Amino acid sequence: MPDRNYNTPVPAGFSTGLIPRDYARHPVGSMAFAPAFPDSELIPEDEWPARLEANRKNKAGLLDLREAHYETLRSLDQDGLGLCWAFSSTKAVMYVRARMNAAMVRLSAWWVAGKVVGWRDQGYWGSASLAQIVKEGVPAESYCPSYKSSYDTPDCRANAATHKVTEWWDGSNDPTLATKQCVSSLLRGIPCVVDLNDMGHSMCAIDIGSLSPLEIIYDNSWGEQGEKGLYRGRGARARPDGLVIPRVSLPSPV
């Protein structure tokens, strides 16, 4: 599987679209009034192995949730456009809703991206798209199935408002601390929106493949290529350069 070659460039034909977040202009805690990830929520590193083992034994990780609801939670596909930064946050919201036992529905990253950049094929960063979801929500994919502004109707906007994120944390701009925040969240079954400057790409982190070396499992947005659409990152690709963590969504119907 090509994703197992952890140091290769982005495969030919697959788009990214990340513009690294400007922390000078958008410091931690500033995006849509998101609080910074609290130190009290960090899981001590010496507890990581036992937590990971328990998750695997009890099938309590997001990877297990994905398998249980694969028809809905299979990977999204940005279809050659540089909109990864909207697909990562949209997919994270889908996992948050699945954890809450909300109605299972595929959501439209197309609409989120369109609202942020005016329906242009333009790079951005993950926290900007999540801020849009906090503000106006994200509609079901059936309301906006492709990247066309004509889908931005009153009915579409009304449906989006039923899928708002109501609680989320902003991660550190220090990759070492952000890694600890990401691992702590994943061990609790909370998805993370991760921006990786090394790839110029943003993905939804859903699980941990190993702790030594650290391997983060991402639900990518290139369709189901490779390992059912998953990407496994080590080294620089297991250390977030940008991190936001949605935690609660409106418990709404489809």
Side-chain angles (χ1 to χ4, degrees):
M1 289 174 285
D3 288 347
R4 297 288 190 178
N5 191 347
Y6 301 96
N7 297 314
T8 58
V10 175
F14 291 103
S15 297
T16 55
L18 175 71
I19 296 176
R21 176 174 169 184
D22 184 349
Y23 278 92
R25 294 176 56 199
H26 304 282
V28 172
S30 70
M31 301 297 289
F33 307 105
F37 189 103
D39 289 342
S40 60
E41 294 297 321
L42 288 172
I43 297 174
E45 291 184 54
D46 60 2
E47 295 181 15
W48 290 1
R51 294 257 193 158
L52 182 58
E53 182 180 359
N55 282 352
R56 289 175 174 170
K57 179 180 178 180
N58 298 320
K59 296 187 179 299
L62 291 178
L63 192 57
D64 300 296
L65 187 66
R66 184 181 194 257
E67 286 300 308
H69 301 283
Y70 190 75
E71 184 56 32
T72 300
L73 293 178
R74 69 188 188 279
S75 292
L76 301 175
D77 190 344
Q78 63 195 82
D79 196 25
L81 299 181
L83 306 174
C84 60
W85 50 273
F87 280 75
S88 56
S89 59
T90 298
K91 194 55 182 289
V93 176
M94 290 171 63
Y95 280 103
V96 168
R97 289 176 51 78
R99 288 183 71 243
M100 296 172 56
N101 294 316
M104 298 297 294
V105 57
R106 286 175 70 80
L107 300 176
S108 178
W110 302 118
W111 187 84
V112 175
K115 299 296 283 187
V116 174
V117 296
W119 302 93
R120 296 183 295 273
D121 183 4
Q122 180 177 324
Y124 227 95
W125 53 78
S127 59
S129 59
L130 189 55
Q132 170 65 26
I133 295 172
V134 169
K135 180 182 178 182
E136 296 186 280
V138 49
E141 197 174 64
S142 58
Y143 283 85
C144 186
S146 64
Y147 202 45
K148 296 180 181 179
S149 61
S150 58
Y151 288 119
D152 184 24
T153 64
D155 285 347
C156 181
R157 292 191 291 271
N159 184 262
T162 68
H163 305 129
K164 290 183 180 180
V165 165
T166 57
E167 295 182 26
W168 58 298
W169 287 325
D170 202 355
S172 174
N173 65 329
D174 173 2
T176 299
L177 178 55
T179 299
K180 296 177 181 179
Q181 295 170 342
C182 180
V183 171
S184 296
S185 298
L186 295 178
L187 289 173
R188 290 190 170 94
I190 302 173
C192 301
V193 179
V194 173
D195 296 343
L196 298 170
N197 295 350
D198 172 66
M199 293 180 71
H201 195 36
S202 183
M203 293 183 284
C204 175
I206 61 170
D207 221 317
I208 299 165
S210 68
L211 291 172
S212 184
L214 181 62
E215 177 186 274
I216 300 298
I217 301 176
Y218 299 99
D219 189 338
N220 202 359
S221 54
W222 297 340
E224 296 183 274
Q225 57 84 33
E227 188 186 349
K228 296 175 73 173
L230 300 178
Y231 189 95
R232 294 173 181 265
R234 292 182 180 176
R237 297 179 184 182
R239 294 191 298 271
D241 296 296
L243 176 69
V244 284
I245 304 163
R247 297 168 48 238
V248 180
S249 172
L250 291 176
S252 58
V254 174

